[in-house]
Amino acid sequence: MKRKSLLSVLCCLAVAMASAKAADKTEAKPKTKGAAGAPAGDHAADEKVLRKLADDFVKAFNDHDAQAIADQFAPRAEMVDLDGNVVQGRQAIQEFYDKHFEESPFTSAIHVESLRFVGDDLAIEDGHVTFSSEDEKHAQRSHYTVVHAKIDGKWLIVSSRDVINPNDRVPPHEHLKQLAWLVGDWVEEGGDSVVSTTCRWDESKNYLLTDYTVKVAGRTTMSGRQRIGWDPLTKQIKTWTFDGDGGYGEGYWHRDGDRWLVKLVGVAADGRSGSATQIHTPHNDHTRTWSAVDRLLGGERLPDIEEITMVRAPRPRSPAAK
């Protein structure tokens, strides 16, 4: 499936049209208006039902239960995706989702922002839906408006439209949460050398900032800073590195099972270009490892850096605790 079509499928909750019978029923029933044109009546029970329907949709979607999704539609429902493709009828909608679940492992989450009732048999729902890939590498969010109608005493989806706009996006922080295990103070001691790193969120929480130092016999031999963020152009987590000698580099993070690969390219302070692949693996809350392979500098191959174990540094006790 093409990416455009996939996003259209993911972002399409439903577009349904009420049957002529339902429309006639809604038109024929007189409406009693309250103040400022608001419909009279207490809809607390109906609102509870509609919010549960949203939860049921999410459960059915994440369980890949196409029939449960189709059962939320009116019999003569019409569903239109962002590309303008039309699926008409409850059975066709079920087949549509059956095919989608065979091709995509995405999960969904819905946030209902508001519910407005127009009379006793019509309700308008606004909110946004987020779809995430199983490995959490990709996410897409869109705003939607759904119209529900009560047909023969049962609430059914009768119209829905999703809209993606540049301002309705997943914040970078949501993507970077996958690397939250980096946050903290870490240390590795081996012989005369001590490797220390400190990682923290920046003020916006849209970047991770990492400072590192390498000391040998008590003397700092290497230091630098990394900034890790979400690249909206490539849709990947990216890192920018600046070492204390004046060199710099950049690279992208790729998840590989339980570990992360960072393919880096850069320039040393003396002008030589280089590249390497770092491997970061979190083991638990207090231990992680990293190594570097395929290292090149100025066209010459450098030896691999064997796996190094980093442990979370204990927090210093307060004077009162001492």
Side-chain angles (χ1 to χ4, degrees):
M1 179 180 289
K2 294 181 179 179
R3 181 165 180 81
K4 182 180 179 183
S5 299
L6 176 59
L7 288 180
S8 297
V9 170
L10 295 180
C11 294
C12 182
L13 275 177
V15 174
M17 298 180 67
S19 63
K21 175 182 175 181
D24 291 341
K25 182 177 178 181
T26 302
E27 290 242 347
K29 188 165 183 176
K31 304 294 188 299
T32 303
K33 300 287 186 177
D42 183 3
H43 295 289
D46 288 324
E47 180 172 345
K48 184 176 181 180
V49 170
L50 293 177
R51 289 185 179 275
K52 184 178 184 303
L53 285 177
D55 293 337
D56 290 344
F57 179 93
V58 171
K59 184 179 186 305
F61 189 97
N62 295 342
D63 289 343
H64 293 186
D65 190 342
Q67 181 176 346
I69 292 176
D71 287 344
Q72 292 196 2
F73 290 84
R76 293 175 59 186
E78 181 179 87
M79 186 173 73
V80 183
D81 66 20
L82 292 176
D83 291 331
N85 301 312
V86 179
V87 183
Q88 195 161 24
R90 182 180 286 164
Q91 182 60 36
I93 291 173
Q94 179 176 340
E95 293 171 358
F96 174 88
Y97 276 104
D98 274 328
K99 182 178 180 181
H100 162 65
F101 291 142
E102 292 176 358
E103 301 173 345
S104 172
F106 280 66
T107 60
S108 70
I110 289 177
H111 176 68
V112 179
E113 297 170 356
S114 68
L115 273 171
R116 307 184 306 278
F117 288 87
V118 182
D120 293 329
D121 298 325
L122 200 66
I124 301 173
E125 174 186 332
D126 287 299
H128 64 260
V129 56
T130 302
F131 293 94
S132 304
S133 60
E134 189 174 7
D135 58 8
E136 298 183 345
K137 288 183 180 179
H138 303 288
Q140 180 68 55
R141 184 165 68 177
S142 68
H143 177 78
Y144 71 87
T145 297
V146 172
V147 178
H148 303 269
K150 185 180 286 186
I151 302 173
D152 297 329
K154 182 179 180 180
W155 285 104
L156 296 172
I157 297 173
V158 297
S159 175
S160 175
R161 180 74 61 179
D162 292 308
V163 179
I164 296 179
N165 62 64
N167 296 321
D168 191 16
R169 60 184 175 84
V170 177
H173 179 77
E174 294 299 314
H175 296 287
L176 290 182
K177 284 196 303 185
Q178 303 172 80
L179 297 181
W181 50 270
L182 287 171
V183 175
D185 298 323
W186 301 85
V187 64
E188 185 274 340
E189 297 184 23
D192 293 334
S193 66
V194 177
V195 180
S196 303
T197 64
T198 298
C199 182
R200 67 186 186 281
W201 292 102
D202 77 329
E203 292 183 0
S204 70
K205 293 190 179 298
N206 286 326
Y207 290 97
L208 286 168
L209 305 179
T210 299
D211 295 304
Y212 64 89
T213 59
V214 178
K215 292 186 177 182
V216 177
R219 184 173 63 88
T220 299
T221 60
M222 185 183 301
S223 65
R225 168 169 288 190
Q226 286 186 330
R227 178 179 286 265
I228 304 172
W230 175 253
D231 185 351
L233 185 63
T234 62
K235 310 297 184 185
Q236 297 180 78
I237 296 176
K238 186 173 183 177
T239 186
W240 295 265
T241 302
F242 307 90
D243 68 43
D245 294 329
Y248 62 88
E250 61 181 27
Y252 291 98
W253 292 68
H254 304 271
R255 191 168 187 171
D256 180 29
D258 294 333
R259 63 181 188 168
W260 287 85
L261 308 181
V262 188
K263 298 185 179 297
L264 295 165
V265 295
V267 178
D270 60 10
R272 290 181 296 170
S273 60
S275 63
T277 299
Q278 292 183 352
I279 304 172
H280 298 264
T281 307
H283 294 279
N284 51 52
D285 291 341
H286 304 284
T287 307
R288 63 185 180 92
T289 58
W290 77 275
S291 60
V293 298
D294 301 330
R295 299 201 304 151
L296 294 173
L297 182 61
E300 297 183 5
R301 183 172 294 278
L302 302 179
D304 293 342
I305 297 178
E306 296 183 0
E307 188 172 86
I308 295 175
T309 300
M310 307 288 292
V311 296
R312 193 179 293 277
R315 293 181 179 179
R317 291 184 298 174
S318 64
K322 290 181 181 180

